[in-house]
Tab-separated table of all heavy atoms in Angstrom:
chain	number	residue	atom	x	y	z
K	199	MET	N	0.822	-1.193	0.000
K	199	MET	CA	0.000	0.000	0.000
K	199	MET	C	0.871	1.264	0.000
K	199	MET	O	0.524	2.243	-0.624
K	199	MET	CB	-0.913	-0.056	1.225
K	199	MET	CG	-1.947	1.002	1.232
K	199	MET	SD	-3.114	0.718	-0.088
K	199	MET	CE	-4.193	2.070	0.137
K	200	LYS	N	1.995	1.211	0.728
K	200	LYS	CA	2.874	2.371	0.778
K	200	LYS	C	3.492	2.655	-0.581
K	200	LYS	O	3.676	3.812	-0.958
K	200	LYS	CB	3.971	2.165	1.817
K	200	LYS	CG	3.491	2.234	3.231
K	200	LYS	CD	4.642	2.108	4.199
K	200	LYS	CE	4.162	2.176	5.620
K	200	LYS	NZ	5.260	2.086	6.578
K	201	ASN	N	3.829	1.590	-1.322
K	201	ASN	CA	4.431	1.790	-2.636
K	201	ASN	C	3.451	2.416	-3.607
K	201	ASN	O	3.834	3.252	-4.429
K	201	ASN	CB	4.946	0.464	-3.193
K	201	ASN	CG	6.157	-0.024	-2.438
K	201	ASN	OD1	6.868	0.762	-1.834
K	201	ASN	ND2	6.380	-1.319	-2.448
K	202	ILE	N	2.199	2.029	-3.532
K	202	ILE	CA	1.179	2.619	-4.399
K	202	ILE	C	0.991	4.088	-4.065
K	202	ILE	O	0.866	4.930	-4.959
K	202	ILE	CB	-0.150	1.836	-4.280
K	202	ILE	CG1	0.035	0.428	-4.825
K	202	ILE	CG2	-1.271	2.562	-5.006
K	202	ILE	CD1	-1.148	-0.476	-4.593
K	203	PHE	N	0.998	4.409	-2.778
K	203	PHE	CA	0.865	5.807	-2.365
K	203	PHE	C	2.050	6.638	-2.847
K	203	PHE	O	1.881	7.757	-3.324
K	203	PHE	CB	0.733	5.895	-0.848
K	203	PHE	CG	0.609	7.305	-0.345
K	203	PHE	CD1	-0.537	8.038	-0.590
K	203	PHE	CD2	1.647	7.897	0.349
K	203	PHE	CE1	-0.650	9.345	-0.135
K	203	PHE	CE2	1.546	9.193	0.799
K	203	PHE	CZ	0.387	9.919	0.557
K	204	LYS	N	3.256	6.093	-2.742
K	204	LYS	CA	4.443	6.808	-3.216
K	204	LYS	C	4.389	7.020	-4.726
K	204	LYS	O	4.741	8.089	-5.218
K	204	LYS	CB	5.705	6.043	-2.840
K	204	LYS	CG	6.027	6.090	-1.370
K	204	LYS	CD	7.282	5.309	-1.074
K	204	LYS	CE	7.575	5.265	0.399
K	204	LYS	NZ	8.766	4.467	0.700
K	205	LEU	N	3.948	6.000	-5.444
K	205	LEU	CA	3.826	6.117	-6.887
K	205	LEU	C	2.772	7.158	-7.265
K	205	LEU	O	2.970	7.968	-8.170
K	205	LEU	CB	3.482	4.761	-7.507
K	205	LEU	CG	3.360	4.727	-9.020
K	205	LEU	CD1	4.692	5.066	-9.663
K	205	LEU	CD2	2.869	3.372	-9.466
K	206	TYR	N	1.653	7.151	-6.560
K	206	TYR	CA	0.601	8.133	-6.811
K	206	TYR	C	1.093	9.541	-6.519
K	206	TYR	O	0.849	10.472	-7.287
K	206	TYR	CB	-0.620	7.803	-5.951
K	206	TYR	CG	-1.715	8.826	-6.065
K	206	TYR	CD1	-2.476	8.941	-7.215
K	206	TYR	CD2	-1.979	9.699	-5.010
K	206	TYR	CE1	-3.471	9.880	-7.323
K	206	TYR	CE2	-2.964	10.645	-5.105
K	206	TYR	CZ	-3.708	10.738	-6.270
K	206	TYR	OH	-4.693	11.678	-6.364
K	207	LEU	N	1.796	9.708	-5.413
K	207	LEU	CA	2.304	11.027	-5.042
K	207	LEU	C	3.337	11.521	-6.055
K	207	LEU	O	3.313	12.694	-6.463
K	207	LEU	CB	2.917	10.963	-3.648
K	207	LEU	CG	3.229	12.272	-2.962
K	207	LEU	CD1	1.962	13.071	-2.744
K	207	LEU	CD2	3.898	12.011	-1.633
K	208	LEU	N	4.226	10.648	-6.502
K	208	LEU	CA	5.218	11.019	-7.497
K	208	LEU	C	4.559	11.409	-8.814
K	208	LEU	O	4.899	12.435	-9.413
K	208	LEU	CB	6.195	9.871	-7.720
K	208	LEU	CG	7.255	10.095	-8.799
K	208	LEU	CD1	8.208	11.182	-8.364
K	208	LEU	CD2	7.979	8.809	-9.099
K	209	SER	N	3.591	10.622	-9.247
K	209	SER	CA	2.919	10.949	-10.510
K	209	SER	C	2.115	12.239	-10.386
K	209	SER	O	2.019	13.004	-11.339
K	209	SER	CB	2.021	9.796	-10.951
K	209	SER	OG	1.001	9.585	-10.006
K	210	PHE	N	1.552	12.503	-9.218
K	210	PHE	CA	0.823	13.757	-9.023
K	210	PHE	C	1.750	14.955	-9.187
K	210	PHE	O	1.420	15.918	-9.874
K	210	PHE	CB	0.175	13.785	-7.642
K	210	PHE	CG	-0.438	15.111	-7.299
K	210	PHE	CD1	-1.633	15.502	-7.874
K	210	PHE	CD2	0.179	15.972	-6.416
K	210	PHE	CE1	-2.203	16.733	-7.567
K	210	PHE	CE2	-0.367	17.188	-6.099
K	210	PHE	CZ	-1.572	17.572	-6.675
K	211	PHE	N	2.924	14.903	-8.562
K	211	PHE	CA	3.842	16.030	-8.649
K	211	PHE	C	4.432	16.185	-10.052
K	211	PHE	O	4.667	17.297	-10.509
K	211	PHE	CB	4.957	15.915	-7.618
K	211	PHE	CG	4.523	16.296	-6.236
K	211	PHE	CD1	4.561	15.376	-5.210
K	211	PHE	CD2	4.059	17.560	-5.963
K	211	PHE	CE1	4.155	15.718	-3.939
K	211	PHE	CE2	3.643	17.926	-4.697
K	211	PHE	CZ	3.688	16.986	-3.675
K	212	LEU	N	4.662	15.083	-10.733
K	212	LEU	CA	5.204	15.175	-12.087
K	212	LEU	C	4.157	15.676	-13.080
K	212	LEU	O	4.467	16.455	-13.979
K	212	LEU	CB	5.742	13.823	-12.531
K	212	LEU	CG	7.026	13.366	-11.853
K	212	LEU	CD1	7.404	11.978	-12.330
K	212	LEU	CD2	8.149	14.338	-12.110
K	213	LEU	N	2.918	15.235	-12.936
K	213	LEU	CA	1.887	15.609	-13.888
K	213	LEU	C	1.219	16.938	-13.548
K	213	LEU	O	0.590	17.541	-14.408
K	213	LEU	CB	0.841	14.503	-13.996
K	213	LEU	CG	1.376	13.188	-14.564
K	213	LEU	CD1	0.299	12.128	-14.506
K	213	LEU	CD2	1.887	13.366	-15.968
K	214	SER	N	1.320	17.399	-12.314
K	214	SER	CA	0.717	18.682	-11.969
K	214	SER	C	1.471	19.835	-12.616
K	214	SER	O	0.938	20.934	-12.735
K	214	SER	CB	0.669	18.868	-10.459
K	214	SER	OG	1.969	19.003	-9.940
K	215	ASP	N	2.688	19.598	-13.049
K	215	ASP	CA	3.480	20.626	-13.713
K	215	ASP	C	2.782	21.103	-14.987
K	215	ASP	O	2.788	22.289	-15.304
K	215	ASP	CB	4.860	20.077	-14.041
K	215	ASP	CG	5.773	21.127	-14.615
K	215	ASP	OD1	5.780	22.234	-14.071
K	215	ASP	OD2	6.462	20.830	-15.601
K	216	PHE	N	2.148	20.200	-15.715
K	216	PHE	CA	1.467	20.584	-16.940
K	216	PHE	C	0.262	21.476	-16.651
K	216	PHE	O	-0.033	22.393	-17.399
K	216	PHE	CB	1.006	19.348	-17.712
K	216	PHE	CG	2.142	18.503	-18.196
K	216	PHE	CD1	2.322	17.228	-17.706
K	216	PHE	CD2	3.051	18.988	-19.116
K	216	PHE	CE1	3.371	16.447	-18.138
K	216	PHE	CE2	4.102	18.224	-19.552
K	216	PHE	CZ	4.260	16.939	-19.058
K	217	VAL	N	-0.411	21.228	-15.573
K	217	VAL	CA	-1.608	21.995	-15.239
K	217	VAL	C	-1.233	23.359	-14.665
K	217	VAL	O	-1.862	24.368	-14.965
K	217	VAL	CB	-2.474	21.215	-14.230
K	217	VAL	CG1	-3.677	22.022	-13.797
K	217	VAL	CG2	-2.910	19.895	-14.836
K	218	ILE	N	-0.203	23.393	-13.859
K	218	ILE	CA	0.179	24.625	-13.187
K	218	ILE	C	0.674	25.679	-14.176
K	218	ILE	O	0.340	26.848	-14.076
K	218	ILE	CB	1.246	24.345	-12.122
K	218	ILE	CG1	0.648	23.528	-10.989
K	218	ILE	CG2	1.826	25.631	-11.577
K	218	ILE	CD1	1.672	23.045	-9.991
K	219	PHE	N	1.454	25.270	-15.169
K	219	PHE	CA	2.054	26.221	-16.088
K	219	PHE	C	1.292	26.353	-17.407
K	219	PHE	O	1.788	26.951	-18.343
K	219	PHE	CB	3.507	25.842	-16.371
K	219	PHE	CG	4.379	25.971	-15.162
K	219	PHE	CD1	4.904	24.852	-14.553
K	219	PHE	CD2	4.646	27.206	-14.619
K	219	PHE	CE1	5.703	24.960	-13.437
K	219	PHE	CE2	5.443	27.328	-13.500
K	219	PHE	CZ	5.970	26.202	-12.905
K	220	ALA	N	0.094	25.795	-17.491
K	220	ALA	CA	-0.690	25.912	-18.715
K	220	ALA	C	-1.199	27.348	-18.859
K	220	ALA	O	-1.581	27.996	-17.891
K	220	ALA	CB	-1.863	24.943	-18.680
K	221	GLN	N	-1.180	27.855	-20.080
K	221	GLN	CA	-1.666	29.198	-20.348
K	221	GLN	C	-3.038	29.112	-20.991
K	221	GLN	O	-3.287	28.224	-21.808
K	221	GLN	CB	-0.704	29.928	-21.278
K	221	GLN	CG	0.660	30.134	-20.673
K	221	GLN	CD	1.601	30.835	-21.638
K	221	GLN	OE1	1.257	31.061	-22.789
K	221	GLN	NE2	2.784	31.153	-21.175
K	222	PRO	N	-3.914	30.029	-20.639
K	222	PRO	CA	-5.251	29.985	-21.237
K	222	PRO	C	-5.211	30.342	-22.719
K	222	PRO	O	-4.348	31.097	-23.168
K	222	PRO	CB	-6.028	31.034	-20.450
K	222	PRO	CG	-4.990	31.969	-19.932
K	222	PRO	CD	-3.764	31.118	-19.697
K	223	GLY	N	-6.131	29.783	-23.468
K	223	GLY	CA	-6.213	30.075	-24.894
K	223	GLY	C	-6.892	31.400	-25.163
K	223	GLY	O	-7.414	32.058	-24.264
K	224	ASP	N	-6.883	31.817	-26.426
K	224	ASP	CA	-7.542	33.061	-26.812
K	224	ASP	C	-9.033	32.821	-26.952
K	224	ASP	O	-9.474	31.892	-27.623
K	224	ASP	CB	-6.990	33.568	-28.148
K	224	ASP	CG	-5.552	34.034	-28.015
K	224	ASP	OD1	-5.172	34.424	-26.900
K	224	ASP	OD2	-4.828	34.014	-29.023
K	225	ASP	N	-9.833	33.692	-26.350
K	225	ASP	CA	-11.285	33.578	-26.466
K	225	ASP	C	-11.816	34.309	-27.687
K	225	ASP	O	-12.900	34.025	-28.162
K	225	ASP	CB	-11.964	34.138	-25.214
K	225	ASP	CG	-11.737	33.238	-24.010
K	225	ASP	OD1	-11.479	32.038	-24.211
K	225	ASP	OD2	-11.818	33.742	-22.878
K	226	ASP	N	-11.041	35.265	-28.203
K	226	ASP	CA	-11.534	36.050	-29.326
K	226	ASP	C	-11.293	35.377	-30.676
K	226	ASP	O	-11.747	35.857	-31.700
K	226	ASP	CB	-10.901	37.447	-29.325
K	226	ASP	CG	-9.382	37.394	-29.428
K	226	ASP	OD1	-8.826	36.290	-29.413
K	226	ASP	OD2	-8.770	38.479	-29.513
K	227	GLY	N	-10.575	34.294	-30.704
K	227	GLY	CA	-10.333	33.575	-31.954
K	227	GLY	C	-9.271	34.198	-32.820
K	227	GLY	O	-9.113	33.818	-33.974
K	228	GLY	N	-8.515	35.139	-32.301
K	228	GLY	CA	-7.449	35.781	-33.069
K	228	GLY	C	-6.286	34.840	-33.289
K	228	GLY	O	-6.143	33.809	-32.635
K	229	GLY	N	-5.448	35.205	-34.234
K	229	GLY	CA	-4.309	34.352	-34.567
K	229	GLY	C	-3.311	34.244	-33.448
K	229	GLY	O	-2.912	33.172	-33.042
K	230	GLY	N	-2.887	35.373	-32.915
K	230	GLY	CA	-1.967	35.360	-31.804
K	230	GLY	C	-0.515	35.164	-32.194
K	230	GLY	O	0.324	34.977	-31.325
K	231	LEU	N	-0.205	35.181	-33.475
K	231	LEU	CA	1.185	34.961	-33.863
K	231	LEU	C	2.054	36.185	-33.640
K	231	LEU	O	3.253	36.074	-33.440
K	231	LEU	CB	1.266	34.545	-35.333
K	231	LEU	CG	0.677	33.182	-35.670
K	231	LEU	CD1	0.754	32.942	-37.167
K	231	LEU	CD2	1.420	32.100	-34.930
K	232	GLU	N	1.454	37.357	-33.678
K	232	GLU	CA	2.236	38.581	-33.516
K	232	GLU	C	1.901	39.294	-32.216
K	232	GLU	O	2.095	40.497	-32.103
K	232	GLU	CB	1.988	39.497	-34.708
K	232	GLU	CG	2.479	38.897	-36.008
K	232	GLU	CD	2.279	39.819	-37.187
K	232	GLU	OE1	2.078	41.025	-36.973
K	232	GLU	OE2	2.335	39.331	-38.319
K	233	ASP	N	1.411	38.565	-31.229
K	233	ASP	CA	1.145	39.168	-29.930
K	233	ASP	C	2.456	39.518	-29.251
K	233	ASP	O	3.473	38.873	-29.454
K	233	ASP	CB	0.360	38.217	-29.029
K	233	ASP	CG	-1.085	38.065	-29.486
K	233	ASP	OD1	-1.556	38.933	-30.243
K	233	ASP	OD2	-1.723	37.074	-29.072
K	234	VAL	N	2.415	40.532	-28.431
K	234	VAL	CA	3.602	40.958	-27.712
K	234	VAL	C	3.655	40.196	-26.397
K	234	VAL	O	2.816	40.360	-25.530
K	234	VAL	CB	3.572	42.477	-27.444
K	234	VAL	CG1	4.789	42.896	-26.648
K	234	VAL	CG2	3.479	43.239	-28.746
K	235	ASP	N	4.642	39.337	-26.272
K	235	ASP	CA	4.846	38.585	-25.039
K	235	ASP	C	5.831	39.334	-24.165
K	235	ASP	O	6.739	40.009	-24.664
K	235	ASP	CB	5.398	37.187	-25.338
K	235	ASP	CG	4.374	36.284	-25.984
K	235	ASP	OD1	3.174	36.530	-25.777
K	235	ASP	OD2	4.769	35.341	-26.682
K	236	PRO	N	5.700	39.211	-22.856
K	236	PRO	CA	6.700	39.839	-21.979
K	236	PRO	C	8.053	39.159	-22.147
K	236	PRO	O	8.147	38.013	-22.561
K	236	PRO	CB	6.139	39.620	-20.583
K	236	PRO	CG	5.193	38.494	-20.715
K	236	PRO	CD	4.658	38.538	-22.114
K	237	ALA	N	9.084	39.892	-21.809
K	237	ALA	CA	10.438	39.352	-21.931
K	237	ALA	C	10.615	38.188	-20.956
K	237	ALA	O	10.122	38.238	-19.833
K	237	ALA	CB	11.458	40.436	-21.621
K	238	PRO	N	11.292	37.137	-21.370
K	238	PRO	CA	11.479	36.000	-20.460
K	238	PRO	C	12.394	36.364	-19.292
K	238	PRO	O	13.309	37.171	-19.438
K	238	PRO	CB	12.117	34.934	-21.333
K	238	PRO	CG	12.708	35.667	-22.477
K	238	PRO	CD	11.880	36.899	-22.680
K	239	ALA	N	12.127	35.763	-18.164
K	239	ALA	CA	12.933	36.031	-16.972
K	239	ALA	C	14.242	35.247	-17.054
K	239	ALA	O	14.236	34.075	-17.399
K	239	ALA	CB	12.170	35.637	-15.721
K	240	PRO	N	15.361	35.868	-16.752
K	240	PRO	CA	16.631	35.141	-16.786
K	240	PRO	C	16.717	34.160	-15.616
K	240	PRO	O	16.320	34.470	-14.497
K	240	PRO	CB	17.679	36.238	-16.647
K	240	PRO	CG	16.973	37.340	-15.943
K	240	PRO	CD	15.536	37.265	-16.391
K	241	ILE	N	17.230	32.977	-15.884
K	241	ILE	CA	17.354	31.982	-14.822
K	241	ILE	C	18.802	31.720	-14.446
K	241	ILE	O	19.074	30.966	-13.539
K	241	ILE	CB	16.703	30.649	-15.240
K	241	ILE	CG1	17.374	30.090	-16.479
K	241	ILE	CG2	15.236	30.810	-15.436
K	241	ILE	CD1	16.988	28.679	-16.804
K	242	ASN	N	19.733	32.340	-15.130
K	242	ASN	CA	21.137	32.021	-14.887
K	242	ASN	C	21.859	33.067	-14.056
K	242	ASN	O	23.070	33.008	-13.932
K	242	ASN	CB	21.868	31.831	-16.214
K	242	ASN	CG	21.803	33.051	-17.089
K	242	ASN	OD1	21.108	33.998	-16.762
K	242	ASN	ND2	22.515	33.028	-18.199
K	243	SER	N	21.149	34.031	-13.483
K	243	SER	CA	21.853	35.088	-12.769
K	243	SER	C	22.445	34.605	-11.447
K	243	SER	O	23.508	35.034	-11.050
K	243	SER	CB	20.925	36.272	-12.516
K	243	SER	OG	19.827	35.863	-11.730
K	244	LYS	N	21.791	33.712	-10.754
K	244	LYS	CA	22.290	33.213	-9.467
K	244	LYS	C	22.513	31.704	-9.493
K	244	LYS	O	22.530	31.058	-8.465
K	244	LYS	CB	21.283	33.545	-8.360
K	244	LYS	CG	20.920	34.992	-8.254
K	244	LYS	CD	21.979	35.783	-7.545
K	244	LYS	CE	21.440	37.182	-7.320
K	244	LYS	NZ	22.399	38.184	-7.327
K	245	LEU	N	22.698	31.138	-10.664
K	245	LEU	CA	22.817	29.690	-10.794
K	245	LEU	C	24.093	29.158	-10.168
K	245	LEU	O	24.096	28.082	-9.575
K	245	LEU	CB	22.744	29.306	-12.275
K	245	LEU	CG	22.405	27.874	-12.590
K	245	LEU	CD1	21.079	27.500	-11.982
K	245	LEU	CD2	22.359	27.665	-14.084
K	246	ILE	N	25.182	29.894	-10.226
K	246	ILE	CA	26.443	29.431	-9.646
K	246	ILE	C	26.336	29.371	-8.129
K	246	ILE	O	26.878	28.457	-7.493
K	246	ILE	CB	27.634	30.309	-10.107
K	246	ILE	CG1	28.966	29.675	-9.726
K	246	ILE	CG2	27.532	31.708	-9.546
K	246	ILE	CD1	29.309	28.468	-10.530
K	247	TYR	N	25.606	30.303	-7.530
K	247	TYR	CA	25.411	30.278	-6.081
K	247	TYR	C	24.566	29.072	-5.675
K	247	TYR	O	24.830	28.438	-4.651
K	247	TYR	CB	24.745	31.559	-5.597
K	247	TYR	CG	25.563	32.798	-5.863
K	247	TYR	CD1	25.020	33.878	-6.539
K	247	TYR	CD2	26.881	32.898	-5.437
K	247	TYR	CE1	25.781	35.009	-6.790
K	247	TYR	CE2	27.642	34.023	-5.672
K	247	TYR	CZ	27.078	35.082	-6.356
K	247	TYR	OH	27.819	36.196	-6.598
K	248	LEU	N	23.568	28.765	-6.463
K	248	LEU	CA	22.725	27.611	-6.177
K	248	LEU	C	23.509	26.312	-6.290
K	248	LEU	O	23.357	25.407	-5.460
K	248	LEU	CB	21.533	27.591	-7.131
K	248	LEU	CG	20.503	26.496	-6.899
K	248	LEU	CD1	19.855	26.656	-5.532
K	248	LEU	CD2	19.453	26.540	-7.984
K	249	ALA	N	24.383	26.206	-7.276
K	249	ALA	CA	25.206	25.009	-7.438
K	249	ALA	C	26.184	24.868	-6.264
K	249	ALA	O	26.370	23.764	-5.733
K	249	ALA	CB	25.965	25.065	-8.758
K	250	ALA	N	26.802	25.963	-5.852
K	250	ALA	CA	27.729	25.917	-4.722
K	250	ALA	C	27.001	25.534	-3.439
K	250	ALA	O	27.509	24.733	-2.632
K	250	ALA	CB	28.426	27.265	-4.557
K	251	LEU	N	25.812	26.060	-3.249
K	251	LEU	CA	25.026	25.716	-2.071
K	251	LEU	C	24.630	24.244	-2.092
K	251	LEU	O	24.643	23.578	-1.049
K	251	LEU	CB	23.776	26.596	-2.002
K	251	LEU	CG	22.937	26.481	-0.749
K	251	LEU	CD1	23.735	26.957	0.454
K	251	LEU	CD2	21.675	27.288	-0.895
K	252	GLY	N	24.317	23.719	-3.262
K	252	GLY	CA	23.991	22.297	-3.381
K	252	GLY	C	25.173	21.410	-3.043
K	252	GLY	O	25.027	20.400	-2.353
K	253	VAL	N	26.362	21.773	-3.512
K	253	VAL	CA	27.567	20.984	-3.206
K	253	VAL	C	27.853	21.043	-1.713
K	253	VAL	O	28.183	20.020	-1.086
K	253	VAL	CB	28.767	21.495	-4.028
K	253	VAL	CG1	30.067	20.903	-3.535
K	253	VAL	CG2	28.552	21.201	-5.501
K	254	LEU	N	27.725	22.203	-1.112
K	254	LEU	CA	27.954	22.324	0.334
K	254	LEU	C	26.943	21.510	1.129
K	254	LEU	O	27.287	20.888	2.143
K	254	LEU	CB	27.908	23.790	0.759
K	254	LEU	CG	29.082	24.647	0.305
K	254	LEU	CD1	28.845	26.110	0.671
K	254	LEU	CD2	30.369	24.142	0.915
K	255	PHE	N	25.707	21.476	0.684
K	255	PHE	CA	24.681	20.698	1.368
K	255	PHE	C	24.974	19.200	1.283
K	255	PHE	O	24.821	18.473	2.261
K	255	PHE	CB	23.304	21.002	0.780
K	255	PHE	CG	22.192	20.262	1.443
K	255	PHE	CD1	21.792	20.603	2.724
K	255	PHE	CD2	21.543	19.221	0.797
K	255	PHE	CE1	20.770	19.915	3.346
K	255	PHE	CE2	20.524	18.531	1.403
K	255	PHE	CZ	20.124	18.883	2.696
K	256	VAL	N	25.418	18.739	0.121
K	256	VAL	CA	25.772	17.320	-0.040
K	256	VAL	C	26.945	16.972	0.868
K	256	VAL	O	26.943	15.916	1.526
K	256	VAL	CB	26.086	17.001	-1.512
K	256	VAL	CG1	26.746	15.653	-1.642
K	256	VAL	CG2	24.823	17.068	-2.335
K	257	LEU	N	27.950	17.828	0.919
K	257	LEU	CA	29.096	17.572	1.790
K	257	LEU	C	28.687	17.574	3.261
K	257	LEU	O	29.165	16.748	4.055
K	257	LEU	CB	30.190	18.599	1.539
K	257	LEU	CG	30.889	18.501	0.190
K	257	LEU	CD1	31.853	19.670	0.007
K	257	LEU	CD2	31.609	17.172	0.060
K	258	TYR	N	27.799	18.466	3.632
K	258	TYR	CA	27.303	18.523	5.019
K	258	TYR	C	26.577	17.229	5.379
K	258	TYR	O	26.799	16.651	6.434
K	258	TYR	CB	26.396	19.741	5.190
K	258	TYR	CG	25.618	19.731	6.478
K	258	TYR	CD1	26.251	20.029	7.680
K	258	TYR	CD2	24.267	19.440	6.509
K	258	TYR	CE1	25.552	20.028	8.875
K	258	TYR	CE2	23.556	19.428	7.681
K	258	TYR	CZ	24.206	19.722	8.879
K	258	TYR	OH	23.503	19.708	10.051
K	259	LYS	N	25.695	16.773	4.490
K	259	LYS	CA	24.939	15.552	4.759
K	259	LYS	C	25.853	14.328	4.815
K	259	LYS	O	25.651	13.431	5.609
K	259	LYS	CB	23.863	15.350	3.701
K	259	LYS	CG	22.677	16.258	3.856
K	259	LYS	CD	22.021	16.013	5.179
K	259	LYS	CE	20.534	15.918	5.039
K	259	LYS	NZ	19.834	15.709	6.278
K	260	LYS	N	26.856	14.294	3.928
K	260	LYS	CA	27.781	13.175	3.902
K	260	LYS	C	28.604	13.131	5.181
K	260	LYS	O	28.800	12.074	5.788
K	260	LYS	CB	28.693	13.265	2.688
K	260	LYS	CG	29.624	12.102	2.557
K	260	LYS	CD	30.521	12.235	1.359
K	260	LYS	CE	31.490	11.060	1.345
K	260	LYS	NZ	32.547	11.265	0.400
K	261	ASN	N	29.105	14.282	5.627
K	261	ASN	CA	29.891	14.336	6.853
K	261	ASN	C	29.030	14.043	8.077
K	261	ASN	O	29.516	13.443	9.049
K	261	ASN	CB	30.571	15.689	7.002
K	261	ASN	CG	31.716	15.846	6.022
K	261	ASN	OD1	32.282	14.865	5.568
K	261	ASN	ND2	32.029	17.084	5.712
K	262	LYS	N	27.822	14.454	8.068
K	262	LYS	CA	26.917	14.204	9.197
K	262	LYS	C	26.609	12.712	9.304
K	262	LYS	O	26.495	12.174	10.401
K	262	LYS	CB	25.628	15.001	9.016
K	262	LYS	CG	24.689	14.923	10.169
K	262	LYS	CD	23.470	15.783	9.947
K	262	LYS	CE	22.488	15.621	11.083
K	262	LYS	NZ	21.276	16.405	10.860
K	263	LYS	N	26.510	12.049	8.152
K	263	LYS	CA	26.190	10.613	8.157
K	263	LYS	C	27.379	9.777	8.621
K	263	LYS	O	27.201	8.774	9.293
K	263	LYS	CB	25.773	10.185	6.750
K	263	LYS	CG	25.290	8.781	6.668
K	263	LYS	CD	24.805	8.454	5.273
K	263	LYS	CE	24.283	7.035	5.220
K	263	LYS	NZ	23.807	6.703	3.877
K	264	THR	N	28.592	10.184	8.297
K	264	THR	CA	29.766	9.403	8.659
K	264	THR	C	30.170	9.629	10.119
K	264	THR	O	30.891	8.820	10.676
K	264	THR	CB	30.956	9.754	7.747
K	264	THR	OG1	31.246	11.148	7.855
K	264	THR	CG2	30.668	9.372	6.314
K	265	VAL	N	29.776	10.708	10.725
K	265	VAL	CA	30.174	11.004	12.113
K	265	VAL	C	29.318	10.269	13.086
K	265	VAL	O	28.322	9.801	13.010
K	265	VAL	CB	30.101	12.514	12.408
K	265	VAL	CG1	30.315	12.795	13.873
K	265	VAL	CG2	31.125	13.225	11.563
């Protein structure tokens, strides 16, 4: 029973991504090919800090487990 629950929970989190980020369609029936979209948000501005924090967290957990 626990394995089924884990599988259900995993599939819920993986499949909810499609619903959460879905954009509504046009109600007016327009083409929408030349609509002005907002500029995309940059994701790489603090990526090196996130990677360093991840490595430090792994090292912390590894050292905590061996002690």
Side-chain angles (χ1 to χ4, degrees):
M199 189 67 180
K200 288 184 180 181
N201 290 336
I202 294 172
F203 179 70
K204 288 180 184 178
L205 182 63
Y206 175 71
L207 193 62
L208 177 67
S209 63
F210 172 75
F211 282 118
L212 289 177
L213 295 175
S214 68
D215 185 44
F216 296 115
V217 176
I218 292 172
F219 294 111
Q221 296 179 354
D224 291 334
D225 290 336
D226 60 355
L231 293 177
E232 296 182 18
D233 288 341
V234 178
D235 289 335
I241 60 169
N242 59 353
S243 61
K244 305 281 188 211
L245 199 58
I246 191 72
Y247 298 126
L248 184 63
L251 187 64
V253 168
L254 289 174
F255 181 72
V256 167
L257 291 174
Y258 168 75
K259 285 299 226 181
K260 183 181 177 192
N261 288 336
K262 186 177 176 182
K263 186 176 182 180
T264 59
V265 172

